[in-house]
Amino acid sequence: MIPVRTLNILTVCGSGTISSTMVAQKLKEALAADGISITTTEVKPTQVLGHVEQGNYDFVVNTTPVPGNISIPVINGVGFLTGLEEEEFLEEVRQVISQILNNEAN
């Protein structure tokens, strides 16, 4: 599955810096191995809704709860961060990406 464009992802943690940056970097590396290009924006939970409303983000990866009603997919990234459920997380991410690209193609 190779997207025709770079996907834009919000990564979220409590402070908007440490864990979200770690998840973003690991995700970039893992998806690059699949030929998938992403850009990430690291934010704290209170910034998510504003970014989603104003931006062209494809999905959110969070390591802390995200408040509000988010109109794009939100994927829990705690297991990816800790390394305990990496494959399950990556499979969910790949499924979401596939759905996004299929919707755009139709």
Side-chain angles (χ1 to χ4, degrees):
M1 153 186 51
I2 298 178
V4 295
R5 64 172 177 83
T6 299
L7 295 156
N8 297 305
I9 302 165
L10 280 176
T11 56
V12 186
C13 71
S15 68
T17 53
I18 307 298
S19 296
S20 58
T21 301
M22 291 171 62
V23 167
Q25 188 57 41
K26 279 183 74 171
L27 190 55
K28 285 178 185 176
E29 291 170 5
L31 293 177
D34 292 342
I36 299 170
S37 175
I38 66 169
T39 60
T40 60
T41 303
E42 294 78 31
V43 297
K44 51 188 165 183
T46 56
Q47 298 172 309
V48 174
L49 192 54
H51 275 77
V52 169
E53 288 175 349
Q54 68 177 235
N56 59 343
Y57 295 96
D58 295 294
F59 62 93
V60 175
V61 174
N62 64 314
T63 62
T64 191
V66 175
N69 193 6
I70 308 302
S71 61
I72 59 176
V74 178
I75 304 170
N76 186 325
V78 173
F80 188 59
L81 178 65
T82 63
L84 297 177
E85 298 174 4
E86 286 187 5
E87 283 309 312
E88 294 88 344
F89 169 80
L90 288 172
E91 182 58 33
E92 185 175 357
V93 167
R94 290 178 184 115
Q95 287 175 357
V96 167
I97 290 171
S98 180
Q99 290 170 353
I100 290 167
L101 297 176
N102 286 336
N103 288 341
E104 289 177 357
N106 295 330

